[in-house]
Amino acid sequence: MEASARAGHAGSEPAQTAELYDFMVVSNRLPVDRCSPDESGCEDGWRRSPGGLVTALAPMMTKTDGAWVGWHGAPDETLAPFSHGGIDLVPVQLSTQDIELFYEGFSNATIWPLYHDVIAAPEFHRTWWDSYRKVNKRFADAVARHAAPRATVWVQDYQLQLVPKMLRELRPDLKIGFFNHIPFPPPEIFAQLPWRQAIIDGLLGADLVGFQRSSDAGNFMRSARRFLGASVKQQQIHVKGSDGQTTHIARAQAFPISIDVKQISELAQQPEIIERARQIRQDLGNPKTVLLGVDRLDYTKGIRHRLKAYAELLADGKVTVEDAALIQVASPSRERVEQYRILREEVEGTVGHINGTYDTIQNTALRYLHHSYPVQEMVALYLAADVMLVTALRDGMNLVAKEYVTARTNNDGALVLSEFAGAADQLKQALLINPHDIDGLKAAIMKAVHMQPAEAGRRMRSMRKQILHHDVDLWSADFLAALEEKVIRDDS
């Protein structure tokens, strides 16, 4: 980081009073949430926020002399840059209308369902798109103002797909990477988006566009060819200017994200967390089998499919409340969006029906927890659970699956994993399922419940080996190393 007394850069505001950074991460949200001073983990009114993106990037950011650009979570409030937990933070101001149109609207009611294979119907509104463009420009301006000459900028996720091109136009000296944490749809689905060309064009402002799976990178390159007429050679996309000449080459590659393996492994071996796991089982009545689901309350996670399968197993007598218990953690998500309110009502109605039908005085069939929990409690839940259920209908990665496997330091337990989650590409020894196939899901659950220790150990050792050798540090290092690679131009 350099204190700047330099002149402003072309296309950006003067930077005489701004700190300049050689490395910057850009995401919709900063990695902090507001908190009360008397709350645990609260420091100067802020605490590290939960979520996969923060979990993945915060360890790397504390080791670099860079800054994180994002919204701080409060609408209609302007904050100056500040530091927290060893990370310099550059807040971007969003209004109440921005939240409604850019975030709840275009990001989460247009792009999110479209990119998740239209599990829910996306909505297309021009006012949402106008807001999306304006907010992306605000983010690009903030980065241009604080980026040192030839800095490296890593833009994150679907809310900011226009930032790479905007940033290239403002600051052509920058090295720009983009990582898409959610799936990228095939061209046949992406074709529905009225602003498909602008989105592809925005992403192609990056030198490197990263995806969770090779199939996502392939979908993106096919869309670039189909909707922009781009020349695609292997993983390189030749971006042409208005004169038809190649201005730069963008690359599209898969970089499967991972977790902070060291943190989860150490927590899983702490005596107080092991004791907490024992207490959780005791509070459930010490059933033979504890099953666990951990998700944001989102229609992409397949929670309704999971509950349907479990209810049928109870109805069939394959599992009983005396011998088994399911814990479903469903953390609150986008509760102002109508589809999410409807989903919550449906899930809570199903939970009530299952427990009303099968509970006894001593035993509960399903323990439903509509909360977010600190990582220590999550690791205790992972240790308490014999079977982990990940039944996503579509998921970029699913870090919960990787956290569960990492926490099983004794190489026991079983993972039932949707083939439509990115994690299925790495965790091939899980019991892979199609969540739409309820009978197949039920069969996989019963196989997990009755799996012999030798087979469970063999599968878990294989999955743990994969994750232990591919942690979040390797993910970020691989992406940034690829971003720095020289591109050999071949315009023939």
Side-chain angles (χ1 to χ4, degrees):
M1 176 178 69
E2 304 172 17
S4 172
R6 303 173 184 161
H9 300 286
S12 65
E13 296 179 16
Q16 284 88 348
T17 59
E19 297 274 17
L20 294 190
Y21 299 90
D22 291 317
F23 178 69
M24 302 185 78
V25 164
V26 193
S27 68
N28 176 59
R29 282 294 302 269
L30 289 175
V32 293
D33 290 325
R34 276 229 170 83
C35 57
S36 300
D38 56 346
E39 292 181 37
S40 174
C42 190
E43 177 187 334
D44 298 326
W46 300 94
R47 97 174 132 219
R48 178 79 55 83
S49 53
L53 180 60
V54 177
T55 300
L57 292 179
M60 178 195 66
M61 290 299 295
T62 57
K63 299 170 189 171
T64 64
D65 195 14
W68 192 313
V69 178
W71 178 51
H72 62 281
D76 304 307
E77 178 183 53
T78 301
L79 287 184
F82 65 102
S83 295
H84 181 272
I87 305 174
D88 284 1
L89 306 173
V90 178
V92 174
Q93 188 265 339
L94 296 182
S95 68
T96 300
Q97 187 179 56
D98 292 331
I99 301 307
E100 179 185 346
L101 303 180
F102 151 75
Y103 181 70
E104 294 173 354
F106 196 82
S107 294
N108 290 320
T110 300
I111 293 294
W112 180 269
L114 184 76
Y115 283 29
H116 286 85
D117 291 353
V118 196
I119 294 168
E123 298 180 44
F124 306 113
H125 300 293
R126 286 169 290 180
T127 53
W128 291 0
W129 167 248
D130 289 341
S131 179
Y132 187 82
R133 281 191 298 108
K134 290 173 184 174
V135 171
N136 271 243
K137 182 63 164 58
R138 204 174 305 152
F139 274 81
D141 287 342
V143 176
R145 204 159 46 238
H146 288 272
R150 296 173 299 282
T152 295
V153 179
W154 194 0
V155 185
Q156 307 288 331
D157 225 1
Y158 63 103
Q159 301 95 342
L160 303 176
Q161 294 175 101
L162 304 181
V163 168
K165 184 181 181 182
M166 292 174 170
L167 203 49
R168 181 169 290 277
E169 291 173 344
L170 289 168
R171 293 286 305 275
D173 61 302
L174 300 178
K175 180 78 73 172
I176 304 168
F178 181 93
F179 189 80
N180 195 62
H181 291 260
I182 68 174
F184 196 90
E188 296 75 18
I189 290 179
F190 187 71
Q192 298 177 41
L193 185 66
W195 308 280
R196 60 200 186 188
Q197 289 180 311
I199 292 290
I200 296 291
D201 201 31
L203 291 170
L204 288 177
D207 297 286
L208 178 64
V209 186
F211 298 91
Q212 301 282 22
R213 310 178 87 165
S214 296
S215 58
D216 295 323
N219 287 340
F220 173 71
M221 288 184 282
R222 288 167 58 209
S223 287
R225 183 186 291 117
R226 176 171 169 181
F227 301 118
L228 283 188
S231 172
V232 181
K233 301 177 182 180
Q234 296 180 328
Q235 294 177 313
Q236 297 186 353
I237 304 158
H238 294 241
V239 182
K240 292 180 169 56
S242 57
D243 59 359
Q245 298 299 309
T246 298
T247 58
H248 76 285
I249 295 175
R251 288 167 292 149
Q253 294 176 225
F255 298 90
I257 200 170
S258 193
I259 62 170
D260 187 348
V261 168
K262 183 173 181 288
Q263 179 195 36
I264 300 297
S265 297
E266 289 178 352
L267 287 171
Q269 297 175 75
Q270 289 184 3
E272 59 269 30
I273 290 182
I274 294 171
E275 172 58 24
R276 173 61 184 145
R278 187 199 63 78
Q279 182 185 17
I280 289 171
R281 293 187 70 98
Q282 184 176 17
D283 290 346
L284 292 170
N286 284 320
K288 291 179 182 176
T289 305
V290 174
L291 302 99
L292 175 65
V294 175
D295 312 87
R296 281 189 312 105
L297 189 54
D298 191 289
Y299 52 77
T300 65
K301 301 299 184 182
I303 299 172
R304 288 173 291 195
H305 297 64
R306 183 183 315 158
L307 297 183
K308 180 177 179 61
Y310 192 65
E312 289 190 11
L313 289 173
L314 286 164
D316 296 342
K318 298 288 183 63
V319 296
T320 66
V321 291
E322 291 77 20
D323 289 337
L326 170 61
I327 303 172
Q328 176 61 58
V329 178
S331 58
S333 179
R334 301 168 188 159
E335 297 197 303
R336 286 166 42 125
V337 178
E338 181 65 18
Q339 289 169 325
Y340 289 80
R341 287 200 294 265
I342 293 170
L343 174 66
R344 179 176 177 180
E345 291 174 4
E346 290 179 355
V347 168
E348 293 181 352
T350 301
V351 169
H353 176 73
I354 291 172
N355 284 338
T357 303
Y358 299 105
D359 277 8
T360 66
I361 296 296
Q362 295 84 12
N363 303 102
T364 296
L366 202 168
R367 191 65 60 88
Y368 175 74
L369 306 168
H370 186 56
H371 308 288
S372 296
Y373 290 97
V375 64
Q376 294 84 352
E377 182 73 358
M378 294 312 307
V379 173
L381 285 166
Y382 296 148
L383 293 180
D386 304 289
V387 178
M388 184 81 209
L389 303 177
V390 178
T391 58
L393 307 181
R394 193 77 165 89
D395 212 336
M397 178 51 61
N398 196 287
L399 296 179
V400 164
K402 294 189 173 185
E403 289 178 348
Y404 176 76
V405 169
T406 301
R408 306 302 295 194
T409 56
N410 292 332
N411 293 312
D412 55 0
L415 172 64
V416 176
L417 176 61
S418 168
E419 64 189 60
F420 303 124
D425 286 357
Q426 291 93 53
L427 305 181
K428 297 182 185 300
Q429 290 300 312
L431 296 174
L432 298 178
I433 53 98
N434 172 1
H436 299 283
D437 176 7
I438 300 299
D439 286 336
L441 174 55
K442 289 163 59 179
I445 293 173
M446 294 314 300
K447 182 173 181 179
V449 168
H450 296 299
M451 188 179 292
Q452 292 300 308
E455 181 182 355
R458 175 179 59 77
R459 289 174 178 269
M460 193 60 70
R461 274 189 296 273
S462 174
M463 292 189 288
R464 283 178 53 76
K465 181 178 179 181
Q466 204 285 336
I467 296 175
L468 296 178
H469 287 115
H470 297 86
D471 66 359
V472 69
D473 288 337
L474 184 62
W475 168 75
S476 57
D478 282 351
F479 184 94
L480 293 173
L483 181 58
E484 294 301 320
E485 288 176 5
K486 297 288 185 185
V487 175
I488 300 175
R489 291 185 62 145
D490 177 13
D491 296 331
S492 58

